[in-house]
Amino acid sequence: MTSADIRDNITGVVLVGGKSRRMGQDKAFLKVNGVAIFERIVELFRESFPRILLVGDREERFAGYNLAIVPDIYPGSALGGVYTGLCQAETDYVFVSSCDLPFPNRELLRYLCTLRNGYDAVVPLTEHGYEPLFALYAKSCLEPIRELLESGNYCAFAYYPQVNARYVTAEELARFDRDGRAFMNVNTPEDFAKITGEISG
């Protein structure tokens, strides 16, 4: 599948609604090797998709990036962010990323996108479990997600049994995530110190 095929009919959605309470500062703008984590994700998305959408609140944080930002329809959870991105996207698919992945992996993203035909979701499945916030979703996920949100269940993957999901195994992922960093995220100062320590070490 060519690069143009990968880009076709997918909107890149970055979830930016988290409060970063455990971090104590806005983790989207923590810098790794001099570049904000959020900017690393946006750079990859600009290369990969013709459309990018930010989902979350406090839109003033992203002034100057020339990106569309929409508030959560169901505030307060990553699942609500996925739902909002699917609702607002003009494409049949969205590729979702949280804003706290310092090493978003280009090859892995493109591989996940190539698997989408015939599936409602393409989700990495590592030894630690599902990675729902670096994954691809179709509009057909909207109703199962809405039902979950309306029931008060905000688990980001509880609806997977109701859709036709393609789980990408750890063995497949390892072909692209050779350094094991693709799904590292930053939730606490300790997480950030570990990441920056590994880089400088």
Side-chain angles (χ1 to χ4, degrees):
M1 185 173 286
T2 68
S3 178
D5 292 329
I6 292 169
R7 290 164 55 90
D8 183 52
N9 211 22
I10 304 175
T11 297
V13 172
V14 187
L15 305 184
V16 296
K19 303 301 186 212
S20 304
R21 290 187 181 93
R22 285 184 287 169
M23 178 58 67
Q25 59 181 301
D26 195 336
K27 58 188 178 182
F29 293 101
L30 293 172
K31 290 190 176 182
V32 175
N33 280 349
V35 181
I37 295 174
F38 166 77
E39 292 175 359
R40 287 168 164 262
I41 296 162
V42 167
E43 179 182 2
L44 173 56
F45 275 22
R46 286 192 197 276
E47 293 175 3
S48 304
F49 309 120
R51 309 167 189 84
I52 301 175
L53 188 62
L54 309 184
V55 176
D57 55 3
R58 297 169 291 149
E59 63 182 85
E60 67 278 359
R61 294 180 295 158
F62 304 99
Y65 286 100
N66 194 31
L67 293 169
I69 180 166
V70 294
D72 281 298
I73 298 170
Y74 292 88
S77 70
L79 183 65
V82 174
Y83 180 83
T84 300
L86 280 167
C87 275
Q88 297 293 333
E90 296 178 1
T91 53
D92 291 336
Y93 295 89
V94 300
F95 192 97
V96 172
S97 177
S98 59
C99 66
D100 62 350
L101 296 175
F103 305 109
N105 185 306
R106 177 184 294 100
E107 289 73 26
L108 181 54
L109 177 151
R110 296 189 176 194
Y111 178 64
L112 297 175
C113 290
T114 65
L115 301 175
R116 69 185 183 273
N117 290 336
Y119 293 101
D120 303 308
V122 180
V123 183
L125 177 57
T126 73
E127 60 186 11
H128 304 294
Y130 298 120
E131 295 290 349
L133 302 185
F134 196 76
L136 183 133
Y137 301 101
K139 291 267 191 183
S140 48
C141 291
L142 275 169
E143 188 59 20
I145 295 176
R146 187 191 65 78
E147 291 176 0
L148 204 60
L149 290 165
E150 290 287 349
S151 75
N153 186 342
Y154 303 110
C155 175
F157 49 81
Y159 67 98
Y160 286 176
Q162 297 173 249
V163 301
N164 186 19
R166 167 67 156 87
Y167 301 119
V168 185
T169 65
E171 291 77 16
E172 287 179 272
L173 297 170
R175 291 162 46 200
F176 305 96
D177 183 24
R178 296 175 188 86
D179 58 9
R181 289 180 168 183
F183 302 109
M184 293 177 70
N185 63 353
V186 179
N187 288 311
T188 66
E190 292 76 20
D191 292 340
F192 187 55
K194 180 180 178 183
I195 287 170
T196 53
E198 285 186 4
I199 293 172
S200 60

